[in-house]
Amino acid sequence: MRVDLNLLTVFNAIAETGSVSAAAAQLSLSQPAVSHALNRLRRLTGDPLFVRGSGGLLATPRALEMRNPARETINCAQALLLPASFDPMTDTRSFKIASSDYSSITILPSLLRQVRLKAPHCTIELTQVGASTLKLLESGELHGSFWGIKPPEKPIVPMPLFEDRLTGIVSADHPLAAKARHSSVLLEDYLAYPHAVVSHNVSSGNPVDSELHAKGLNRKILYTGQSFAGNLAAIEGTNLVM
């Protein structure tokens, strides 16, 4: 049998007020709606529940038995469905976040200062962005991830933090470095040299390659690393472009 929990709310209001009209006012319902709900309760329980007395409606023995369990059921339902209260100053949860070394350098310092000020008992555990990041987000094993490329599809919910632009990097003695000091580096110059890239094995792909492929172009990739800082050190003294 399916039971409408709204009936218990009506029952509780009548039990508290001893009046159908007062219960209707308390619940912001019409008096006929409350009377209808009371009649449904009477049919379900096989008991009148409330009878008229000199001071208003009086609860029957069955209604007296129902009153505490009904109130407890309503309280449990409210606790289950209403948003949980959150006090960052006393919260002790640990938050696990996926990040590249780039977002660790650009975002984490400010974030960590804010957490220490506003949620001093919370902890943050950082893990590397990788092929399993989206699955871990969906399963709840990760609470969030910094994502610097095309946002993933639902059920992941993206929130823009800031915009940045890509910059080409070469070693100081690279031929393109000398050219950049005196004139513009053209796309054909950019593609004339081998490249180093950062890959976290995510499905969105590299935005540079996506743009090149849209123009029918490709670049030659000779080195793939998992860290921007590591790649900067790796290409020093080489003719690689990053």
Side-chain angles (χ1 to χ4, degrees):
M1 180 178 63
R2 297 177 63 183
V3 178
D4 185 353
L5 288 179
N6 289 320
L7 296 178
L8 294 183
T9 303
V10 170
F11 171 84
N12 191 56
I14 296 174
E16 287 181 352
T17 62
S19 165
V20 169
S21 58
Q26 184 183 96
L27 298 172
S28 299
L29 295 173
S30 67
Q31 187 169 331
V34 173
S35 296
H36 177 69
L38 177 56
N39 288 332
R40 289 178 61 193
L41 276 168
R42 284 168 170 166
R43 288 194 298 269
L44 282 170
T45 60
D47 190 271
L49 298 176
F50 300 98
V51 295
R52 294 192 179 278
S54 58
L57 293 179
L58 300 177
T60 66
R62 176 68 189 278
L64 292 174
E65 291 177 359
M66 289 174 55
R67 188 166 182 181
N68 285 337
R71 189 183 295 114
E72 290 173 4
T73 300
I74 293 169
N75 290 339
C76 287
Q78 289 175 338
L80 180 66
L81 299 175
L82 292 178
S85 59
F86 173 65
D87 181 2
M89 290 301 294
T90 59
D91 201 278
T92 59
R93 280 179 290 178
S94 178
F95 296 95
K96 194 170 184 179
I97 302 173
S99 171
S100 68
D101 62 325
Y102 171 75
S103 47
S104 297
I105 293 169
T106 56
I107 301 173
L108 260 296
S110 175
L111 173 63
L112 197 55
R113 285 192 291 270
Q114 291 295 314
V115 170
R116 294 302 303 141
L117 284 173
K118 299 177 181 179
H121 304 292
C122 288
T123 58
I124 293 178
E125 179 184 349
L126 215 59
T127 185
Q128 180 73 25
V129 171
S132 62
T133 296
L134 295 182
K135 288 183 178 179
L136 293 174
L137 281 170
E138 288 187 39
S139 68
E141 293 180 62
L142 276 177
H143 297 98
S145 174
F146 299 116
W147 205 261
I149 50 182
K150 181 181 178 182
E153 302 293 332
K154 294 180 179 180
I156 307 302
V157 180
M159 178 184 294
L161 296 178
F162 65 92
E163 291 186 0
D164 209 347
R165 67 176 187 173
L166 297 175
T167 300
I169 301 292
V170 294
S171 183
D173 56 357
H174 195 289
L176 288 185
K179 183 169 185 178
R181 295 187 188 103
H182 303 100
S183 62
S184 298
V185 174
L186 304 177
L187 182 58
E188 60 189 45
D189 301 321
Y190 174 78
L191 295 176
Y193 292 90
H195 286 240
V197 299
V198 176
S199 174
H200 299 117
N201 296 317
V202 296
S203 58
S204 299
N206 189 295
V208 172
D209 290 312
S210 297
E211 291 294 323
L212 289 174
H213 293 162
K215 299 177 183 293
L217 301 171
N218 292 287
R219 57 180 174 162
K220 186 176 182 179
I221 297 173
L222 290 189
Y223 177 74
T224 301
Q226 293 188 324
S227 160
F228 291 95
N231 274 26
L232 286 175
I235 68 171
E236 187 174 359
T238 75
N239 69 339
L240 294 174
V241 177
M242 186 173 84

